[in-house]
Amino acid sequence: MKKALMIAASVLAWLILWQILAMSIDSRIILVTPIDVARRLWELIREEKFWKSILFSMARILLGFALGLTTGTILAVVSGKVKFIRILFAPLISVMKSIPVASFTILALIWIGSKDLSVLVSFLICVPIVCANMLEGIDNLDPNLEEMSRVFKIPFGRRFAGVYLSQLLPYFRSASRLAIGLCWKSGVAAEVIGIPSGSIGERLYMSKVYLETADLFAWTTVIILLSWLCERIFIALVNLLQRRIERM
Amino acid sequence: MLKAEKICKSFGDNTVLSDFSHEFKSSAVTAVLGKSGCGKSTLLDILMGIQQPDSGNVIRGSERLSVLFQENRLCENLTASANIRLVTGKRIPKLQIAAELATVGLEGIENSPARTLSGGMKRRVALLRALLAEYDILFLDEPFKGLDEDTKQLVMNYCKEKIVGKTTVFVTHDISECEFLADEIVRL
């Protein structure tokens, strides 16, 4: 409770500072006040187009995240088992980690056009993060537990959940927490470059074209909230799974 | 059937087992007694098939094994109860596991993750896991290590009740444990 109050107080302090700064600059193009942003957000919420844009971008970014999570995990498991695959994919994963989002985006634009751009970009951002984290988890699996499960002849289902998943879930959680935030950032950045019709990225781009700073701040707030919400829901599901396994 | 024939095992220049032979009695508790570092745990590993001897043979059928390892080998992220159910499955209900834990002085810890338990608590959970599993041969490596005297007596009584009449091999350096539990003592 005390911690929550302190967080609320610090958020309020920053908002007050922002308000003072915006009032002293006194230019709605350079910096709008938080009150202007809240007002604009309230207007946007009542538009049907606002919700359609959210649905458009969220569906694609989360699809890219889900595909990346699955592919990254499978790649890590196979790499952990087969040394050749690990060596084969290591340079690719390193390159994927270092390539700027802008380069991915332009390449993806050439390959698949703008509509599903954020699916591919989110996917490409997610795969190396998940693969590297999960592979670290697989490398750190306790061989003594593997041996124990062999001696006791624990059936595969129970062994998978109790021995492997229980050790890998902390790695999966930190990987997905990191990846989901980056998927939102890079997915929306890709949409700003590719400008797919009806996306959040398009709305951000339009706010730049028409110098609508209040729109830019309002949409940025929406992106932050959506990213935070997706992370919270996903991590809560992972925690739920972990608790079920913990208590088998 | 469990028989060791002329088992030899060395680690570099250090010979830990030299021509060890013994036929372990079925439905009896055999204690392997010896000082620390004399190869007791290595012998247990060889009997279980975890380690291979340099020479000699272990003759064992396809019996189901249960084991208490020297270093517990609990899944740290699972609760005490889940660690036991990992081995027993749903054959033993959670309530019974809680009751068994209470019998060895571990009341109310069934839902505590293993990582939060003390060394002595972990030892008792690992012992319970071994005793409650379905097995034909039970191996126990220093089963009462790290327990204080009162707890040790409590756990030894519980253990004796559970293993009586079952093929059990346990290794220890403590002669009083052998005298209390074993039908037969083998000195290493």
Side-chain angles (χ1 to χ4, degrees):
Chain A
M1 188 65 190
K2 199 179 169 187
K3 195 183 167 193
L5 275 174
M6 280 170 73
I7 292 170
S10 65
V11 169
L12 192 66
W14 283 108
L15 285 174
I16 290 168
L17 187 71
W18 175 10
Q19 179 77 25
I20 292 167
L21 199 66
M23 282 166 74
S24 59
I25 292 171
D26 198 23
S27 165
R28 293 195 68 193
I29 290 176
I30 295 173
L31 187 64
V32 287
T33 65
I35 292 168
D36 288 334
V37 175
R39 199 177 292 137
R40 182 64 190 126
L41 200 54
W42 179 245
E43 286 167 11
L44 285 172
I45 285 169
R46 286 179 295 172
E47 289 175 13
E48 195 189 335
K49 205 178 160 192
F50 169 84
W51 296 106
K52 280 186 175 170
S53 296
I54 286 181
L55 200 66
F56 180 96
S57 296
M58 190 156 85
R60 282 163 177 76
I61 289 168
L62 290 185
L63 177 63
F65 169 70
L67 292 173
L69 209 59
T70 313
T71 310
T73 305
I74 291 170
L75 199 57
V77 171
V78 177
S79 298
K81 283 271 176 203
V82 187
K83 203 174 176 186
F84 169 71
I85 299 287
R86 188 185 187 124
I87 294 166
L88 183 71
F89 278 92
L92 186 68
I93 295 293
S94 292
V95 168
M96 282 172 83
K97 271 198 260 182
S98 327
I99 291 179
V101 176
S103 308
F104 267 146
T105 307
I106 293 163
L107 195 63
L109 260 174
I110 296 165
W111 286 348
I112 59 163
S114 68
K115 195 184 172 197
D116 296 319
L117 187 66
S118 49
V119 179
L120 186 60
V121 171
S122 303
F123 170 80
L124 293 172
I125 289 291
C126 188
V127 169
I129 297 169
V130 174
C131 183
N133 268 272
M134 291 301 285
L135 197 54
E136 192 188 340
I138 289 165
D139 287 343
N140 285 322
L141 282 174
D142 187 348
N144 282 338
L145 293 181
E146 166 78 33
E147 201 169 69
M148 178 275 292
S149 61
R150 266 206 316 271
V151 174
F152 278 109
K153 292 187 177 150
I154 298 171
F156 178 75
R158 248 186 280 153
R159 191 191 320 175
F160 177 72
V163 177
Y164 302 126
L165 264 189
S166 73
Q167 291 183 81
L168 290 174
L169 269 179
Y171 292 91
F172 182 75
R173 184 175 41 220
S174 60
S176 44
R177 176 174 275 163
L178 183 64
I180 203 164
L182 284 173
C183 281
W184 268 101
K185 275 188 190 178
S186 53
V188 172
E191 286 179 351
V192 172
I193 296 171
I195 329 170
S197 177
S199 67
I200 293 178
E202 186 201 25
R203 304 293 296 262
L204 279 175
Y205 181 78
M206 290 305 167
S207 68
K208 181 211 128 187
V209 170
Y210 297 111
L211 296 174
E212 292 282 1
T213 315
D215 271 35
L216 175 68
F217 274 82
W219 276 108
T220 306
T221 309
V222 169
I223 294 163
I224 292 169
L225 285 174
L226 286 174
S227 173
W228 177 82
L229 199 68
C230 289
E231 183 194 309
R232 279 301 169 108
I233 292 171
F234 191 79
I235 295 303
L237 290 173
V238 175
N239 287 344
L240 193 72
L241 177 66
Q242 188 165 12
R243 271 197 298 279
R244 284 202 68 173
I245 290 170
E246 259 179 23
R247 290 167 179 248
M248 277 177 89
Chain B
M1 162 98 179
L2 180 64
K3 191 176 177 185
E5 283 181 341
K6 295 187 172 182
I7 300 287
C8 293
K9 183 74 181 175
S10 301
F11 296 100
D13 294 336
N14 183 23
T15 301
V16 287
L17 292 170
S18 175
D19 275 338
F20 176 84
S21 296
H22 187 77
E23 185 168 351
F24 295 87
K25 288 179 184 167
S26 292
S27 308
V29 180
T30 305
V32 178
L33 180 68
K35 290 177 188 163
S36 295
C38 71
K40 304 188 295 290
S41 297
T42 305
L43 174 65
L44 223 53
D45 283 353
I46 290 170
L47 292 174
M48 281 188 279
I50 290 176
Q51 283 193 51
Q52 292 305 309
D54 296 335
S55 61
N57 293 307
V58 172
I59 298 165
R60 178 164 61 77
S62 55
E63 291 95 343
R64 291 165 303 173
L65 307 182
S66 181
V67 56
L68 168 67
F69 293 95
Q70 195 175 26
E71 64 288 352
N72 298 327
R73 300 195 188 187
L74 294 175
C75 296
E76 295 286 313
N77 291 335
L78 299 189
T79 62
S81 172
N83 263 289
I84 296 167
R85 281 167 70 91
L86 183 65
V87 164
T88 63
K90 290 179 179 168
R91 184 174 55 83
I92 302 180
K94 284 183 180 177
L95 275 176
Q96 193 189 331
I97 288 176
E100 300 279 357
L101 284 164
T103 316
V104 291
L106 296 174
E107 298 90 340
I109 65 117
E110 59 273 14
N111 290 326
S112 304
R115 62 177 179 275
T116 64
L117 304 178
S118 70
M121 286 170 152
K122 283 181 184 175
R123 194 69 187 149
R124 280 174 278 169
V125 173
L127 177 62
L128 235 65
R129 180 180 66 184
L131 295 174
L132 296 177
E134 279 184 303
Y135 61 86
D136 301 306
I137 304 175
L138 173 67
F139 295 99
L140 303 172
D141 194 342
E142 298 277 7
F144 313 110
K145 188 180 71 175
L147 303 180
D148 62 69
E149 275 310 310
D150 290 345
T151 310
K152 186 174 165 179
Q153 200 50 56
L154 178 78
V155 177
M156 275 171 60
N157 286 328
Y158 175 84
C159 191
K160 186 168 187 172
E161 202 178 287
K162 291 281 180 190
I163 65 176
V164 68
K166 295 191 172 177
T167 309
T168 304
V169 180
F170 83 96
V171 302
T172 179
H173 62 273
D174 188 338
I175 184 75
S176 66
E177 289 175 13
C178 299
E179 286 166 350
F180 186 77
L181 287 174
D183 300 310
E184 174 192 32
I185 299 173
V186 177
R187 287 178 191 271
L188 261 192

